[in-house]
């Protein structure tokens, strides 16, 4: 993402932020999760402490779903000509990313989204995701955003308070976000997400359960490695019979 200098929305002092305006899933599959996560275009102001998403024109393109969506925040109050000046090149870039034989009619009729929420829901609805599922996704996204913005001490308190909301799906979302950050060479975001994951593992019920399962799988692997070339069907059956948990049992069967 290009580094862009702009004014802080709160104190108007100059700040620098990573801004992504085109989310082209065909060219960069990780763009979809980045967009859905709501963790894009986040600014931090060292002057006033503001941290939040910056309002900027966006284009979302998914050639498989034949989606070409545009969004210009109303608070920018941009005249139509200025909107077209910004959005036009982003659409052109998305079209140019496609080979000629895959350029279809929908590209000439982009859909204008009035709100960012509407844009997000349109993307999810194209995947057959219900309103209820969207609300659950939003809850996870907002929790991750709050945790990312908090200090380590505050994060631990929030994790304990929101323990019931921290589930496997949230860990899966975190993992996807980290992979997207690594693929996009965003080392700072990847590091912050990894640190958040560590705190979640150490301080949430779901995290501790995942850690326990991981330890069981590692223990199963070590038992098999210790046997090495001496591993026989009979010894494997002995390990299975003595397995102290279902997780280790499944690990032996899978190995």
């Amino acid at each position: 993402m290009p580094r862009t200098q702009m004014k802080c929305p709160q104190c108007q002092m100059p700040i620098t932020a990573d801004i992504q305006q085109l989310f082209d899933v065909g060219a960069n599959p990780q763009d979809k999760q980045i967009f859905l996560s709501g963790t894009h275009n986040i600014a931090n102001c060292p002057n006033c402490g503001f941290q939040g998403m910056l309002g900027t024109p966006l284009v979302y393109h998914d050639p498989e779903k034949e989606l070409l969506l545009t969004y210009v925040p109303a608070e920018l109050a941009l005249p139509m000509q200025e909107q077209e000046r910004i959005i036009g090149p982003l659409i052109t870039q998305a079209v140019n990313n496609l080979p000629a034989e895959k350029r279809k009619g929908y590209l000439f009729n982009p859909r204008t989204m009035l709100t960012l929420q509407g844009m997000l829901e349109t993307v999810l609805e194209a995947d057959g995701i219900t309103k209820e599922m969207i609300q659950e996704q939003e809850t996870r996204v907002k929790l991750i955003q709050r945790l990312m913005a908090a200090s380590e001490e505050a994060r631990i308190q929030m994790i304990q308070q929101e323990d019931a909301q921290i589930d496997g799906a949230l860990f899966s979302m975190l993992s996807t976000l980290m992979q997207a950050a690594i693929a996009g060479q965003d080392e700072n975001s990847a590091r912050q997400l990894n640190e958040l994951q560590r705190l979640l593992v150490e301080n949430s019920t779901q995290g501790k359960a995942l850690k326990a399962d991981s330890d069981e799988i590692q223990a199963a692997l070590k038992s098999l490695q210790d046997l090495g070339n001496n591993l026989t069907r009979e010894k494997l059956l002995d390990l299975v019979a003595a397995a102290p948990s279902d997780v280790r049992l499944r690990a032996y069967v899978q190995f």
Side-chain angles (χ1 to χ4, degrees), residues 79-150:
M80 185 59 66
Q81 186 175 0
E82 182 65 11
Q83 293 184 32
E84 293 175 352
R85 186 190 68 79
I86 298 173
I87 292 293
L90 298 174
I91 292 177
T92 298
Q93 183 180 341
V95 173
N96 290 340
N97 284 339
L98 285 173
E101 65 273 12
K102 292 189 176 181
R103 297 175 187 175
K104 301 180 181 180
Y106 75 94
L107 294 169
F108 302 100
N109 188 31
R111 297 167 58 185
T112 301
M113 302 287 105
L114 299 179
T115 65
L116 186 59
Q117 179 63 27
M119 194 177 197
L120 185 146
E121 290 181 359
T122 300
V123 171
L124 292 175
E125 286 171 2
D127 288 338
I129 296 176
T130 66
K131 292 285 186 181
E132 291 75 16
M133 295 167 69
I134 291 174
Q135 291 173 354
E136 291 175 359
Q137 179 88 341
E138 289 172 0
T139 299
R140 295 187 186 99
V141 166
K142 289 177 181 177
L143 178 55
I144 289 175
Q145 289 175 334
R146 296 203 314 272
L147 287 167
M148 290 285 285

Side-chain angles (χ1 to χ4, degrees), residues 215-247:
D215 289 345
E216 284 293 279
I217 292 171
Q218 291 302 315
L221 180 60
K222 185 177 185 305
S223 296
L224 295 173
Q225 290 175 337
D226 288 344
L227 287 172
N229 294 332
N230 295 321
L231 179 63
T232 63
R233 183 173 180 275
E234 288 73 21
K235 289 182 178 179
L236 178 59
L237 289 174
D238 288 341
L239 288 174
V240 168
S245 69
D246 290 341
V247 174

